[in-house]
Amino acid sequence: AKQALVSQLKGRWAAQAGDRFGIPAVLLEPQPVVVEDVDTALDAAAHHPENLSILRELGIGRLLTVPLVFGNRVIGAITFVGSPGQRAFDQLDIELAEDLAARSALALENARLYGLALANRQKAETVAKTATKFLGTVSHELRTPLNAILGYVEVMAEGIHGTITPEQRIDLERIAGSGRPLLVIIADLLNFIRIGSGKMVYE
């Protein structure tokens, strides 16, 4: 029944500056805040008669708010709610609440960093795929004209289009000698891309 009442507050009751408990109470000074005068605190923090009615129906006793601090930042707060007539929070309660808040803050920060790492990994994978695709396209585009160049060098070297001088043969050998290493580099690039995409076949 109380859970149903809490659900009614969800989405319609939010903390506001000046509240004596919750995140507003610890933002300026990140220290534990104990509220003994609950009725006055609820009157001020309900911000609407219906909210106040639900809060009273919940049967709220003393309140203890501790900040969630990571580094020097307050990233949230936990409010512990006692039952009406419950004993006052003592130092041991406060220390236990602070310990729980410190662990919670660490867990939240780890979750935030994990989410950031996942997002960065996805971004890196997207960049890598784009780069690989670009490399593959460029490699294919380079290989085709380079094969044509080396093919024509070979045709010329065989003298199919006429006799060539010794000097011309030396030049043709230099062109071929420069072109073949480029073909090897392009083949290596294409193999690298196939390995990355899982399409490399070994025999």
Side-chain angles (χ1 to χ4, degrees), residues 16 24 38-39 50 72-73 85 107 115 117 120 150 155 161 180 193:
Q16 294 182 19
V38 177
D39 288 336
E50 285 182 32
N72 294 321
R73 293 182 300 120
N120 286 339
L150 291 174
V155 167
H161 296 299
R180 286 191 202 99
I193 291 162

Side-chain angles (χ1 to χ4, degrees), residues 62-74:
R62 292 179 171 89
L63 302 169
L64 166 61
T65 297
V66 288
L68 299 176
V69 180
F70 189 83
N72 294 321
R73 293 182 300 120
V74 175

Side-chain angles (χ1 to χ4, degrees), residues 13-35 41-42 45 47 60 62-68 74-81:
W13 182 48
Q16 294 182 19
D19 290 353
R20 290 177 53 198
F21 60 91
I23 190 74
V26 295
L27 269 180
L28 293 176
E29 190 175 349
Q31 298 293 328
V33 174
V34 177
V35 175
L42 290 181
H47 309 301
I60 292 176
R62 292 179 171 89
L63 302 169
L64 166 61
T65 297
V66 288
L68 299 176
V74 175
I75 60 173
I78 301 176
T79 298
F80 296 89
V81 181

